[in-house]
Amino acid sequence: MDNFQTVLRFFMNQKATIGYSFMALLTIGGERVFSMVSFQCPCNHDQNFAYGLTFLLGPAAVLLVLGLFFSTRLWRLYTGCCLDCMKLCPRGNCFGCLRVFLSIFTGACVAPIMWLSVALLNGTFYECAVSGLDDNLVVDLFCKNKTLKCREELARVPCDRSNLSSDERMELLLMLRAQSQIVGWCIIIITAIGALLGTCFTNCRSKVSYLQLTFWKRYVDKEKEHFDTFAVEYATKLAERNLQSFFENKDPDPFPFPNHKAWEEISAYYTFSRGEEYYSTLQRYVEKANRDFTPEKRPVLSFEHGIEMH
């Protein structure tokens, strides 16, 4: 039993690494599916570049949008900001707000960078895109000291329809693939160095020690985990109370419920301050002396947030 708990604790501590590894496997699998099933290079000067670039950058753009869409940190900042701009920059800390947005954006860029790296290392999309360029610099690079036929047939090199000899076609294909892999490795190296420098800069400017920062991260994870559990339990109790009141045709029993102001305070994005050593907005709210305990008698949502049961 102790061994099982040790293994479970290890996986819980490494869940970020496991998540990124799983994302990498999905990215590799998705790229292989695109390359083998749906990608068919048209092999002509007019369409190669647009077609190859669409398959190279299109999925990366979709993954970036999905990464932002599923970011709870982004929605925590953005929700209600049109009515109250100060929600974006609590306490007027614009620099901290920009830093949070940069952190959210870089987190959403993980999946797109993985896609670009895998796609470029494979080389299929890059070969199709670059072979369709009519730029003299590109053509001279690949067809230097070669016949005019090379310039005419470059766009057909990714396919088997080229009129070049098999040796010439293989040479051009290897050059295209080598360039693609070089660009892919450059993206991986730049990303790794950027991540290292960003982590070093963040830790260097940290207002707390390494162990306290580790505790802070553990606390935030546990608070979110227990908040989800409490939210499910209280939503279940409130639904049961309302349904019981409806079907039994009687007044509902009193039900404690946080007021709108309390929800606003705990939903704000928290930035650490030495003057108040809390670990979240929830802890800051429950520990302050002048809390407003006035319950919300009838929580009202706007029409846009209405939810209809089917």
Side-chain angles (χ1 to χ4, degrees):
M1 188 65 181
D2 292 339
N3 293 334
F4 175 76
Q5 291 179 349
T6 303
V7 173
L8 182 62
R9 192 181 302 112
F10 170 79
F11 280 110
M12 290 298 295
N13 293 336
Q14 301 297 325
K15 60 182 179 181
T17 304
I18 295 173
Y20 286 133
S21 301
F22 183 69
M23 188 186 301
L25 290 175
L26 286 180
T27 304
I28 295 172
E31 193 275 337
R32 295 306 301 167
V33 170
F34 270 85
S35 300
M36 299 175 63
V37 177
S38 60
F39 184 79
Q40 296 291 333
C41 187
C43 292
N44 63 67
H45 289 287
D46 297 329
Q47 298 180 3
N48 273 23
F49 180 73
Y51 188 81
L53 203 65
T54 299
F55 272 82
L56 184 63
L57 300 182
V62 173
L63 289 173
L64 177 62
V65 172
L66 290 177
L68 293 173
F69 184 80
F70 289 108
S71 174
T72 56
R73 298 173 66 194
L74 175 63
W75 298 120
R76 190 166 187 169
L77 277 176
Y78 180 78
T79 302
C81 69
C82 292
L83 302 178
D84 184 7
C85 296
M86 289 304 296
K87 286 185 176 182
L88 288 176
C89 301
R91 304 184 181 183
N93 187 8
C94 295
F95 177 76
C97 177
L98 291 175
R99 185 174 58 186
V100 171
F101 270 112
L102 181 61
S103 175
I104 293 171
F105 182 78
T106 53
C109 285
V110 173
I113 290 176
M114 284 185 179
W115 168 268
L116 287 176
S117 302
V118 171
L120 288 169
L121 289 177
N122 185 32
T124 305
F125 306 142
Y126 182 90
E127 293 165 8
C128 182
V130 176
S131 65
L133 288 175
D134 289 328
D135 188 83
N136 290 330
L137 181 63
V138 176
V139 175
D140 291 339
L141 176 64
F142 290 102
C143 295
K144 185 178 181 180
N145 299 327
K146 290 184 173 60
T147 62
L148 183 63
K149 191 176 183 180
C150 172
R151 298 173 179 269
E152 297 174 351
E153 296 293 324
L154 182 61
R156 297 185 179 183
V157 167
C159 307
D160 292 330
R161 301 197 302 266
S162 173
N163 293 325
L164 297 172
S165 65
S166 59
D167 291 339
E168 287 181 308
R169 178 180 174 274
M170 183 57 64
E171 181 182 354
L172 292 173
L173 200 61
L174 290 176
M175 289 178 63
L176 288 167
R177 190 161 300 173
Q179 278 194 357
S180 178
Q181 292 175 347
I182 289 172
V183 174
W185 275 112
C186 287
I187 291 177
I188 294 173
I189 293 170
I190 292 173
T191 302
I193 294 175
L196 177 62
L197 293 178
T199 304
C200 291
F201 178 78
T202 302
N203 287 357
C204 180
R205 294 183 56 85
S206 175
K207 298 179 181 180
V208 298
S209 65
Y210 174 76
L211 292 179
Q212 188 176 6
L213 185 62
T214 302
F215 174 80
W216 189 357
K217 292 177 181 178
R218 297 287 187 273
Y219 171 80
V220 171
D221 291 339
K222 289 298 180 182
E223 182 185 273
K224 183 181 182 303
E225 179 183 334
H226 286 286
F227 179 86
D228 294 340
T229 303
F230 269 73
V232 171
E233 291 178 356
Y234 270 77
T236 302
K237 292 178 182 178
L238 182 59
E240 291 175 350
R241 171 254 203 183
N242 292 341
L243 290 170
Q244 185 177 9
S245 173
F246 174 77
F247 281 105
E248 295 180 1
N249 196 22
K250 66 177 184 180
D251 292 333
D253 298 329
F255 192 88
F257 202 83
N259 57 34
H260 179 73
K261 184 179 179 182
W263 284 109
E264 288 288 334
E265 289 193 29
I266 70 167
S267 297
Y269 196 85
Y270 181 69
T271 52
F272 185 84
S273 172
R274 290 185 182 274
E276 45 177 31
E277 293 188 2
Y278 303 128
Y279 292 102
S280 68
T281 51
L282 178 63
Q283 183 184 5
R284 182 172 64 192
Y285 174 78
V286 300
E287 291 190 8
K288 72 178 184 178
N290 56 343
R291 264 197 298 164
D292 183 10
F293 287 99
T294 306
E296 192 81 50
K297 294 182 179 179
R298 291 191 305 167
V300 179
L301 297 178
S302 63
F303 177 77
E304 290 83 357
H305 293 91
I307 299 176
E308 182 180 354
M309 291 191 301
H310 297 278

